[in-house]
Amino acid sequence: MAAKVYFPSCCLPAQSAVLLGCKLGRRDSFLVLATMSFPFTPNRVKSFLASVAPRDTPPWCDFRPEVLGICNVSADWRVLDDESSLTAHSLCKIFNGEAWLEVELHAGSTSPSSCNIYRRDTNGHYNLRSPRTVVFAHYNQREAVTVRWLAEDSSDFTSMEEQTADVTKEPSEMALFFTALSCNEQIFLPPPCEDDLEEKQSTGSSVCLRHWQDAGPEGSIVVELGKAACRPIRRVGAWFLALVAPLFICRLWTIAPLPWIGDCLSTWLQLHHQHDRLRVVFSPPVVKVPPRLTPPRCADMICSMLLDSLLGLLLISHIYPHGHLEAATDALPVFTQAVAGHLQELLQWLMGAPAGLKLNSTLACTLGRFFLYHIHLWLSYVSMLVPYVGPVLWYGGLLATLGVSLLLSMLIDITSLLTVHVYCFYVYAARLYRLQVCGLSSLWRLFRGKKWNVLRHRVDSCQYDVDQLFLGTLLFTILLFLLPTTALFYLVFTLLRLMVIGGQVVLSRTIWLINGLPVFSLVQRLLCGYNLAGGVEFEVLTQTSKSILNVSMQIQPLSVWAVLRRFWLPSRVMVHRSPNPTQLVATILSGELVQPWYRGGSGWG
Amino acid sequence: MGAVLTGRERNYHYNCALGSTRAANRQLAWTPILGSFGTLRRGRRMEEPGATRMASCRGDPLVFSERKQHGLSIEYTLSSPGVSLSSLLCCTLAVWTVTYPVSTYAQAPALLASATVIVMLGILVYLHWIRVQHESILVISGTGVQLSTCFASGRCDTHFIEMDVVQDIVINEGIHRQAVIYYLCVLVRNNQKNGLKAILPVFLAARPRLDCLRKVYRGCQEILHTEPNISTCVMDR
Amino acid sequence: MPHSICMVSDFFHPNAGGVESHVYQLSQCLVERGHRVVVVTHAYGDRAGIRYLTNGLRVYYLPLRPMYNQATAPTLFHSLALLRCVFIREHVTVVHAHSAFSSLAHDALFHAASFGLASIFTDHSLFGFADVSSVLTNALLRASLGGATRAICVSHTGRENTALRAAMPPGRISVIPNAVDATRFTPGPPTGNPDSTCHDRAHLPRSVDRRCAGVTVVIISRLVYRKGVDLLAGVLAQLAATRSDLNFVIGGEGPKRIVLEELREQHCLHDRVTLLGALDHRQVRDVLVGGDIFLNTSLTEAFCMAIVEAASCGLQVVSTHVGGVPEVLPPDLLTLCKPTVRDLCAGVIAAADRLLAGKAPDRATTHARVRDFYDWRDVASRTEKVSNDDSSQNDN
Amino acid sequence: MARKVLYERSGLPDNHVSRNFLETLRRNVRVRKYSYWSVVYESGVVTQQLGSVCIFVLCWWLMETGTLVPSQLFTSSLALSFLGYYLYDVIDGGTGRRCSGRTRLADLKSVLIFLSFTYGLSPLLKTLTETISTDTIYAMTTFMLLGHLLFFDYGANAAIVSSGLSLNMALFASVCLASRLAGPLHTFTLITFACELFALWPLLQKKLKKQSTGCHGMLTVLFAVVVVTALAMVAPACAALAIVLLFLLSFLIPLWLVKLQLYKDNIHGPWDEAEIKDDLSGVLH
């Protein structure tokens, strides 16, 4: 197996220098983090390495930076310390690492001509490792350091705890590579005291490193400010949360009817959802591993809440000044009248000969009158409601500042309030239809001289005596001829009910979308793709020497779909999978009630 | 008495020979006119010195090229003949000839416009997601196996599998539509639980024959299973 | 001259049954004799593609959808392309189709004729002539066997039946019986082989275990009408009433199981009649060894494998005088009775008395005799002879 | 000559055809000998059932055209039923009643149920199929009556026979026809008449047939005559058709059946599935 050396491409073309980096796991693979050019003194180097050693490394791998070896450019050795003529080979004794790299380069060339790896055996001698073949991977250090490693198949690596639990299994090499880089960030930061580069070199007192950020720390002021500001914001948020929390946690809500009502009102559900989000955002971070490796949960939540309230404000700014709200409150009674009118026409049509169907006129009339009376009841109920709608809408509108999703959930509640009568009609018709269908199926079994054996759940033949047969047949004929009428009423009201549910599903689907969209990671993926690494891509470069394979390693950004799938925020408004059509049709035909499947909690599925 | 070779198999030699010559000289330097949405990182090589002509299991001509880097990495690429510009043009012409009389008769010019747009989009989707130009497998000793599929529009999506997860590269037999074919597949081990996690078939679009697969198999096995021998020459002289 | 034989049937492993084990054992023995054998069947669930069994026996699970109890649709051409591909790849010289119920076998016979390959058909079941389904099946058989140059039947009765059904000259039908894997069906204590835990000693139902108390009658068959389960119910009722020392163990599953359960409830025979349910092929031996008499009440049997397995385990066999049963075992090992309740009861009682009086033949000698009667290698050699004259006759 | 056994190697090749090949073949083992006149006598049952269906449809037709007043039909059918009820007990001197255990009180209860329910539901039944077009009703009735004739229990133990289904079909047809009549009273009388004709009369008919052969023959002739005369009254063309049908049914078809016995050719051998002759229902009551 060829040994592997990951060499930062920004350190090429190199001068002769010492390679600082670390070993990756138990395999022959070395990660070079930075190169320190001569002159230097060994103990100076050791003290520097001790100062930049990462404090919180994951227990399952030791990523402390060490001197891996030296890289000399066409044999121009310059050693600082004159008194002991230190040759390249003797250095390894001083640093006494497990393995020692020697990379030969021609001046100005970007790919090494030879690379020998020496391995320390038990009694301290360094033997050349064979096969001498080495895979030299040039990696772009800028991308690799700032990247968040989320490879698809490393899903078993998402949470660090899971990884540490199983120490025996070596995590994948790429995971090691990126963890090592993120743990050793300290090495890339300039030493706090010296700020001037030339002065450092002349005095030789300090260390001169070459890595991707040797020209000075890169970072935008905004990020710095954000980091500085986040502690006080978190304190204020926590205080505010303490104020609001009792509203949700108090046991008042667990008294009998309230949880059921709570479950029906999507606004209450949405409020709970916002409360959960705030609690997560303002709670102190639990995970101790470097933040880069944990998914950007808080950032996403904050952004999605901001987006939500932004949309809400936009909507309000459009509605309130232009008086649309007042127009809406006036339009409501007119709208309900129109709806009532349409319903009455529909019922009249049903009581006649709808679509030429031959319904039992007496039954059709009785049902029609029953439902007409209900419409009358509903009209009076609405007229009672009208005075309260105005203020409710106005104050409700203000809630939109908390988020347009809250407004949408209020809309859902209002529609369900306004269409109570459709719901009632549907339930009556469904119960009647179900009664008739069950009666018919058992009488049909009687008609064929069979009986449902409840014990063995199967149909057995059975001997009926004459009057049972007679009675069964009479009832069977009656129910059979009445079935079309009830079926038609049932069908019409089911369609109405499905239309209402359809509308509410569309609204709740948008709420779910707004709640769940991981805005921050999406933007991050679109703007600087390489931050979210989904995989690695190797390409073989033109070869210069026999024993070294120069390979360039690029980082593949995660696909947009994968970003959405991994970072989708959980939302309490859990939209169940809408039932597949056959299941829906079967429920409708059998007369069972179609439960609305957009609500969280008890809904469908 | 062996079975009688009937149907397409009998004139296999005939149309394969003819097919390959025609494809070779008709291969334009096809740079995607419509531009590509994906990242165009590497221009694919057209006719390489190491390329030989092979046949897919259905007899279509394929160009097979091998690139070996001194025992450390090996890359096999199978390219099928490019999308000829003429075929795309005649497809759009066909659509136009159909929709033009209909739109004039129905006095709805929008029909013709929409048909053109649909055809364009269709070609774009065809080039970008459906028509595979090159398929390659790159094995780097000690690092891993990389499968890449490049489409006619130049978009390449690669999948890199680390070496410690790669269990083996084998040739397997399988039933594909109405025929039994050989295919090369990479066995991916599940590094958590033992046992096989996935079987990734290679060269899905090209589906080369057994002779080509044998070559690729031998090459990959060489790289995969080179035995590490620790020499004992001492460094300190 | 080594042939390249292609066994075609809808019924093969993982489906369990007589035809399946016949095809598997025959293929193994033919491979042993140096032939190249390939089995073609339809896909069972996600078990599709090409699989390898012991000794490099290659099995093609073609992705064809089964239509009715494991038989694919009898449309001729949906399997043509795949079968042709298999014939060409494997350089098949002889196509050997099994079982009249398998429509894939009929298709293969057609295609073999169109490709000019020698084809053999093995019939495993008897068929009547009276009802509608048998009329249709016989017509289909007559059509598909038109091309087949040779046929094999498992018993003389079977040969007569196939000759009549397929209107085939009897000279082209040879009689080659099934065989039993004697190494597995041996007398002696139940071994409780390691992988089927349910059959080490502790799990055996009490009635099978209680050897000394009385005589245990074992019945192992699919509980369907053709296996005479109604007849069995009548026999059980009468025997349980007349003889108190008889216990019954019934293995196998099927739609008619309810008949036996109702019988057990009505006559409160819970302790004397045990229903074991579906038995894995490996567990059959342990159940057989646990009993003394094997009762077979089936209404029609071409070659009853169950009684041969029972005899190989050393049990006395009582069976109905139907189909090919009389040809299977010599009279001293087999008590034949007419398919009526009274006759069967008399048979069982006679066998039980013989056992209790100690005059029953010794188990080891019975096993030895049955082992010589039937052996898969002998079946393979006779099948090979049929293939030889089949292909030679086909060349000239 | 080789013994047909498998456990011995006869040394002959496997495909050797010995002389005793197919010696166990039997042809036409279970063929029943039919005598012409007994078949004619048996076909009487079918004629009688056909006759009762015609009588029912005729009564409906008469009620429809108003020539028959509901009360007349009701009283006459009631009288006939009582007569039949009385006859039913007299014929076998009460043995039938003792074994079936049905007391007179139970009979009365079921009669009361018949009458009360029919009377109660007849207005509903009347308006039940008001909106359904007449020809659909006629089509359904004809199908139901044909089904009734098909499934009726003529005494043959075939799989197709299901007395319950045939009675239900007849009742369904009668309800459909009844809904076409003028008033609820008509509906009531027609449905009661249907019950008597299709539910009660077959019981008496079977008993009579078992008791005395002559009575059965006489009844068949009576039914044939009644049907023909009634049809002649209503529609002479139908009467002619009825005569031909009845003649065909009772004389020509039996002749044809006897003739066909000659071409019967079924094969029996050891390979046939054994039938279970024992009566196993005793075991699994």
Side-chain angles (χ1 to χ4, degrees), chain A residues 62-76:
Chain A
D62 162 25
F63 286 141
R64 278 197 324 285
E66 57 184 352
V67 175
L68 289 178
I70 47 114
C71 118
N72 57 359
V73 181
S74 57
D76 60 342

Side-chain angles (χ1 to χ4, degrees), chain A residues 67-127:
Chain A
V67 175
L68 289 178
I70 47 114
C71 118
N72 57 359
V73 181
S74 57
D76 60 342
W77 281 98
R78 282 186 302 102
V79 180
L80 177 69
D81 197 339
D82 297 335
E83 65 276 358
S84 67
S85 64
L86 297 176
T87 60
H89 307 312
S90 60
L91 273 179
C92 67
K93 288 274 181 328
I94 296 167
F95 290 108
N96 200 359
E98 227 180 277
W100 184 255
L101 262 76
E102 271 186 16
V103 180
E104 307 285 337
L105 280 153
H106 294 301
S109 83
T110 59
S111 59
S113 57
S114 85
C115 171
N116 303 334
I117 299 175
Y118 299 89
R119 181 167 291 287
R120 184 187 62 201
D121 57 13
T122 46
N123 44 30
H125 293 300
Y126 278 83
N127 315 331

